[in-house]
Structure formats: structure tokens, C-alpha cells
Amino acid sequence: MALDSNRAKMPYLNKCSLIKQGAEARVYRGIFLGKPTIIKERFPKLYRHAVLDEKLTHRRTVQEVRSILRCRKAGISTPVVYFVDYTSHCIFLEDLVGSITVRDHIASSQESGQDPVCLSSLAEEMGKILAKMHDEDVVHGDLTTSNMLLRQGSEDAKPDLVLIDFGLSFTSALPEDKGVDLYVLEKAFLSTHPNTEQLFQRLLKSYTHASKKAPAVIKKLDEVRLRGRKRSMVG
Amino acid sequence: MTVVIGFEGSANKIGVGIVRDGEVLSNPRRTYITPPGQGFLPSETAKHHRSVILTVVREALDEAELSPADIDCVAYTKGPGMGAPLVTVALVARTLAQLWGKPLLGVNHCIGHIEMGRLITQANNPTVLYVSGGNTQVVAFSERRYRIFGETIDIAVGNCLDRFARVIKISNDPSPGYNIEQMAKKGTEYVELPYTVKGMDVSFSGVLSYIEEAAHKMLSSGQCTAEDLCFSLQETLFSMLVEITERAMAHCGSQEVLIVGGVGCNLRLQEMMGIMCKERGAKLFATDERFCIDNGAMIAQAGWEMFRSGYVTELPDSWITQR
């Protein structure tokens, strides 16, 4: 079976522990060159036509690595890329031990009825980081709160916001693409975390302050919001 | 015992169905089919509906062996859909409700599809892929409401397929999508087309523009056949749909998928979704053309649920909406 032969090519993976199977890839935890490592394996999708599957998988692997490196150079926190195997489409990344997703953080904060101020400052931080990323002309393509991690640095320091999952990312200077990027996040945010409209507004405000190119992007965001939702289907 | 009659005519299908406590008693339907190369326009569609609707109502009652007195509630599609046809159908529903002295219920078309899908398949809490000529959405029930997790940011997938059919003049009988599906089965060459997934959303206008422009060139140069284009278009579009469905499932931790809407009839889409589900250990639910395609019974079913929860639509509120 395709899956087994794939794993056979990577006997290494058998020694690692599978931590989750997302929609895109399987994620394993292991040790690489003595360091705790996350291995992201983009396995073949059997429902796709083979040619399409190979093209997509390869493109996404390459794009992910490129975007991570571009962001790092711009000073945005991302996992370190240790190694890439282009035949099996595996990326070996730094394991951010002890980090949690922003999604889990917001969910638990809301559940425990915690001080909303700390969530506000998180939203502001998110806005700032995204502004930096867009100013680098990197469009993430899959912004959700599951794709942002909070890494606790030293005891007292504020947690570090780390961006991950750049598989759908691409380079673009167009406000349209950045606007859609924010739209994707807004939709994911509001559908996953009900009653957080104000929080997201904070994020956008912080984004606007942090980026000089923001006005055009926000304008596009407003336009994109009006699209798709029951537009005329007279073709 | 609650008997609901449902009226559906938001696009080119006009259907009247009767449902009694989860049992579909009748579900007749007519389709307005245009010549190859043409789409259907609102005013013409409304004209078609006007000319057949009373016959279809009669059929629905006869098949169910009921008289108007047996009906408890009249449900109709409030929206979304095309303005003129919606108005035509709403008018008939309103008039009959008043003539028969029964309460009226305005139903959301999309919810109709979902409720019928759930009734027929008995899916428990599925991630729903609703795909038709007018809609493309990934929906899940969360916190007491149906919520949209992913959707098209421009046109619906069915619209993309229908417009492509017009470009290469495929027949619209019984539906352009059905004919594309049959032709795709004979395609062998895979032609690369733009693939646009944006997070949990998809975009089809890019693929459509590309294929509208490239189709003629590719066909006249003999690079590929029309069947190859149909095949490649389906593979590309459906891969995008399966991908966003999978993403929503991963996000919600869901183990069930339900496909509803006209495009849900497509066996290749069902096949691809089935493979994805198998890989994840999830279960796929799909219905056949009686319930995938717009029909009156789905409106009746959704209306039945609403009526039993105590909802009615007062006459002043019985308008229609395109969105």
C-alpha cells in the first residue's frame, strides 16, 4: 500500500511518535542531531489525481520552507528548519517544547473566565506580528489560531508568539492577497472562538498601527467580506 | 402527527413535497432546461415556474393521497436564491396558506438541504459539504447554530461547472453537471489547471477564467479532448472541495461527512470524499438525486422541524431574500 511503502522509505519515522494527523500532513516527534524535532510528513493524498498530488505536495513543501526562512530573516518567530527531504516531502523542524496553540490558550482563558486584558495584549501582539509578515510580502494563506504558538521564554518574560504551518503561503505585495489572508483569519477566529469580535477588532487596530501599507489592506478586507456570501448566481 | 407541504423554486428547479413526521409522502419536481450554451435567467425561470407550479402541487397532494385539510403547515423557500422565481413560489405558498387557513413558514434553502440530508442518512453530527450551482459551503453545527467554516469567496462550484459547460456547448439536459460527469468518465489526459485553496475557503473564478480562455485553444490544437477537460476540471475542483472539508474536519475533530446540494450527486466527488474519509477513519454520508437536487420535501422537512419548535412566519414577514 502506498502508505506503507512511504514509511519504509523513512525507517526513521518508525522510531518517532506520531502526534497528529492534520488535513495536510502527519506530524511526528523525534530527535534529530540530538535536538527535539518535529517532522512534518506530507503524505500522498489518494483521493487526488497522482500528477496533481505530486505538484501540490512538492509546491507546498518548498513554499513552507521558503516562507519560514523569509519570516525568520525579518525577525518573526518561526521554528528553525533543520532539514528537508524533498523525495518524501518531510520537513524537520525545531520542536517548540512546552508551547501551546493560541487556540487552546484563548479557549482555556475564556473557560476560566480569566482577565480579558491578557487576551487583549495577545491580540495586539498578533496584529503586530502579522503586520511585520505582510510588510515582508509573505502571505501565510492559512491563518488560524491553531497555526500560532505561544512559547514561554524565561519565567517573567511575555510569551513569544510563533507562526507555523506555512504550507499555503506565497509571496505577494498585493493588498488583495493580504486582505484575503486577514479574512481567512477572521473567519477562523470567529467560528472557533464565539464572542471574540472585539478581540479581533483589537488585532486589526494593532495591525493598522504597525504597518504603513495597512490602509490598502484593510480596505480590501472590507471588500472581501462582502463577497461570496450569497452573491448573485446569475452567470 | 404533523404534515408539512414544502415549496422550493429558488433556481431552475420547481418542487413541491409533503413530509409527515420524517416520512416523505411525495416529492414531484420540474426542471427548467435551457438550450446548450445558455444559462437560465430569472424572469424566464419565474415564467417556467408559474406555468407548472399548480400542476406540481396537484401531483404532490395526489401522490400523498391527501387533501389540503390534512396539511398542518405550508413551508416555502424564503431564500437565498434568485429573486423572480423565489417571489413566484412565495406568492403561491402565501395564497394557498390563506385559502387553506394554515400557518406559513419561511425556510432557509441551505438548511433545507442539510436537514433533508440528515433525515435521509441519519448522520449524527456531520461536517456538511453543501455544493450546488448557487452555494459552496462547509458547515458544521456548533453552539446551537449551523456555522460556516469554509466557503467559496467568489462563485459556487456548480456555477463554475455550468459555465464551463456553456463554453463547450454541452447539453443542459438533464443538467450540465451530469453531462460533464459522464464526459469526464471518458477523459484520460490530465491537464493542469489553477488550484486555489485559501485557508478553509476556496476560489473558483480563477479556474473558470483560465479554462474559459484556454478551452478553445486546447481543443482546436488537439492538445486534449473535451472529455479530458471535463475530467481535469472535476479532478481539480473536487480536490479543492475535499481539501477544505478535510481541514474543517481536522479543525472540529469531526468523524462524519455529509454531502448535500446538486453537485453532491456527482459520483466522482462522492468517491474522492470516501477515500479521504477512509484515510481518516471517518464515515461518509451522501444522498441520491431525489434529495441532492433542489426539491420541495427538503423545505417541508426543515419546516417540520421549525414548526414543531413553535416557529411560524406571519404574513408581513413572509418576504423573500436573495441572500
Side-chain angles (χ1 to χ4, degrees), chain B residues 89-101:
Chain B
V89 177
L91 206 125
V92 173
R94 259 182 241 132
T95 310
L96 288 178
Q98 289 180 83
L99 280 174
W100 298 343

Side-chain angles (χ1 to χ4, degrees), chain B:
Chain B
M1 245 195 353
T2 310
V3 181
V4 181
I5 186 169
F7 288 75
E8 159 54 35
S10 57
N12 65 335
K13 277 77 73 183
I14 170 77
V16 180
I18 299 179
V19 167
R20 177 180 60 204
D21 295 334
E23 196 192 337
V24 177
L25 300 178
S26 60
N27 200 10
R29 172 176 70 209
R30 297 280 193 284
T31 308
Y32 172 49
I33 298 175
T34 46
Q38 288 180 36
F40 52 91
L41 297 172
S43 53
E44 320 263 296
T45 310
K47 207 161 139 191
H48 166 268
H49 290 355
R50 279 199 296 275
S51 68
V52 298
I53 188 170
L54 296 179
T55 313
V56 182
V57 177
R58 181 81 268 156
E59 265 178 39
L61 287 168
D62 289 347
E63 237 180 86
E65 292 176 350
L66 293 176
S67 71
D70 304 313
I71 307 285
D72 295 304
C73 167
V74 176
Y76 73 98
T77 307
K78 194 162 194 176
M82 296 166 88
L86 279 173
V87 169
T88 301
V89 177
L91 206 125
V92 173
R94 259 182 241 132
T95 310
L96 288 178
Q98 289 180 83
L99 280 174
W100 298 343
K102 308 290 176 183
L104 202 56
L105 248 174
V107 174
N108 178 297
H109 180 88
C110 316
I111 306 263
H113 274 292
I114 297 174
E115 289 299 340
M116 183 51 91
R118 284 183 61 223
L119 174 73
I120 298 294
T121 63
Q122 293 294 300
N124 186 24
N125 189 14
T127 300
V128 182
L129 174 66
Y130 171 28
V131 275
S132 68
N135 288 280
T136 295
Q137 294 152 20
V138 177
V139 176
F141 195 82
S142 146
E143 307 240 340
R144 300 170 56 181
R145 304 179 75 130
Y146 282 115
R147 287 175 197 275
I148 297 177
F149 282 85
E151 60 180 340
T152 173
I153 61 174
D154 38 57
I155 59 174
V157 63
N159 195 219
C160 182
L161 289 164
D162 292 349
R163 283 158 77 170
F164 167 67
R166 278 182 240 164
V167 166
I168 56 175
K169 301 271 196 311
I170 296 177
S171 163
N172 290 325
D173 185 2
S175 77
Y178 178 81
N179 293 326
I180 292 178
E181 181 176 2
Q182 302 318 306
M183 285 176 72
K185 287 182 192 164
K186 300 190 218 125
T188 49
E189 248 341 276
Y190 171 73
V191 178
E192 201 187 338
L193 300 169
Y195 184 96
T196 354
V197 168
K198 301 201 187 269
M200 300 244 252
D201 293 331
V202 283
S203 163
F204 295 115
S205 57
V207 190
L208 181 61
S209 325
Y210 181 86
I211 204 168
E212 275 178 336
E213 235 219 78
H216 291 299
K217 257 183 266 161
M218 289 197 264
L219 291 177
S220 48
S221 73
Q223 180 190 339
C224 64
T225 63
E227 285 78 4
D228 295 331
L229 283 180
C230 289
F231 169 66
S232 306
L233 185 62
Q234 279 198 171
E235 293 300 305
T236 309
L237 297 181
F238 296 166
S239 290
M240 288 161 65
L241 294 174
V242 175
E243 178 168 354
I244 60 166
T245 308
E246 188 169 19
R247 280 166 186 276
M249 286 169 77
H251 199 66
C252 307
S254 163
Q255 287 296 97
E256 286 179 326
V257 176
L258 170 63
I259 309 180
V260 298
V263 182
C265 297
N266 191 300
L267 295 174
R268 178 58 186 147
L269 174 60
Q270 289 182 23
E271 185 185 32
M272 288 168 75
M273 195 67 81
I275 296 172
M276 180 276 280
C277 284
K278 188 147 159 245
E279 288 192 317
R280 300 186 68 81
K283 204 156 174 237
L284 171 66
F285 295 91
T287 59
D288 61 49
E289 57 86 31
R290 287 172 298 164
F291 303 107
C292 267
I293 300 181
D294 290 348
N295 61 90
M298 75 187 194
I299 301 299
Q301 173 60 19
W304 182 87
E305 296 275 12
M306 289 167 79
F307 188 60
R308 282 179 0 127
S309 307
Y311 284 97
V312 279
T313 304
E314 301 298 335
L315 220 47
D317 296 325
S318 66
W319 30 269
I320 58 101
T321 173
Q322 280 181 232
R323 317 245 145 95

